[in-house]
Amino acid sequence: LSSLVIPAVMYTDPEYATIGKIYVDENDNVVSPIENNEEVDVYKAELQHNDRAILDSSDKTSFVKILCKKGTGTIVGCTIVSSRAGEMINEVTLAMKHDISLEGVGRNIHSYPTLGEAVMGCGIQFINSRWETMN
């Protein structure tokens, strides 16, 4: 990954923000460039149950999707569709620029209620995916 990490934001309604690599899902929909068929793990948090989104009566179909190198917490891309996506992408940009893992993002305390909690939600999904089940 280049040391130059630049987010892109489209000021539509809702806003669309992206950084890093792009993910194409099983239906060939561009979701967030994957080079050489690089495998990634995808963590997605929807905002339909986010308290700030509920209070603002918005973001019923909005989401944050973070891509990590397969089997690691190294963030390689992110797509956010939400009001204030242009503000939310900054946390992921900082994490990518300074090699902060998705676990680090998930363990960071976020203010409540904010839309940015969805970024933390992706981090919590990463942390939970590493737990082992006791038999």
Side-chain angles (χ1 to χ4, degrees), residues 116-132:
E117 288 179 288
V119 175
M120 179 183 68
C122 289
I124 290 171
Q125 283 179 32
F126 172 81
I127 292 164
N128 289 345
S129 72
R130 300 301 183 264
W131 287 0
E132 294 186 21

Side-chain angles (χ1 to χ4, degrees), residues 60-78:
K60 301 288 189 269
T61 60
S62 298
F63 64 89
V64 174
K65 187 174 287 191
I66 297 180
L67 312 176
C68 291
K69 279 187 183 177
K70 187 82 172 170
T72 74
T74 303
I75 301 170
V76 296
C78 177

Side-chain angles (χ1 to χ4, degrees), residues 14-119:
E15 290 179 15
Y16 171 87
T18 188
I19 188 164
K21 300 185 182 272
I22 294 174
Y23 172 73
V24 179
D25 69 13
E26 61 276 355
N27 298 319
D28 292 326
N29 297 314
V30 175
V31 189
S32 160
I34 300 292
E35 301 163 0
N36 304 322
N37 294 322
E38 179 182 1
E39 291 188 31
V40 296
D41 291 321
V42 180
Y43 301 93
K44 182 177 180 182
E46 298 181 357
L47 279 85
Q48 63 193 21
H49 300 294
N50 176 284
D51 288 344
R52 182 58 181 258
I54 293 167
L55 288 170
D56 290 345
S57 299
S58 63
D59 296 304
K60 301 288 189 269
T61 60
S62 298
F63 64 89
V64 174
K65 187 174 287 191
I66 297 180
L67 312 176
C68 291
K69 279 187 183 177
K70 187 82 172 170
T72 74
T74 303
I75 301 170
V76 296
C78 177
T79 299
I80 302 174
V81 176
S82 171
S83 63
R84 306 287 186 219
E87 296 170 13
M88 295 166 63
I89 197 74
N90 294 324
E91 179 177 9
V92 181
T93 303
L94 181 70
M96 290 176 69
K97 172 73 176 166
H98 295 286
D99 297 319
I100 299 168
S101 71
L102 188 53
E103 178 178 358
V105 172
R107 293 190 185 279
N108 184 40
I109 297 172
H110 287 64
S111 54
Y112 172 85
T114 61
L115 298 177
E117 288 179 288
V119 175

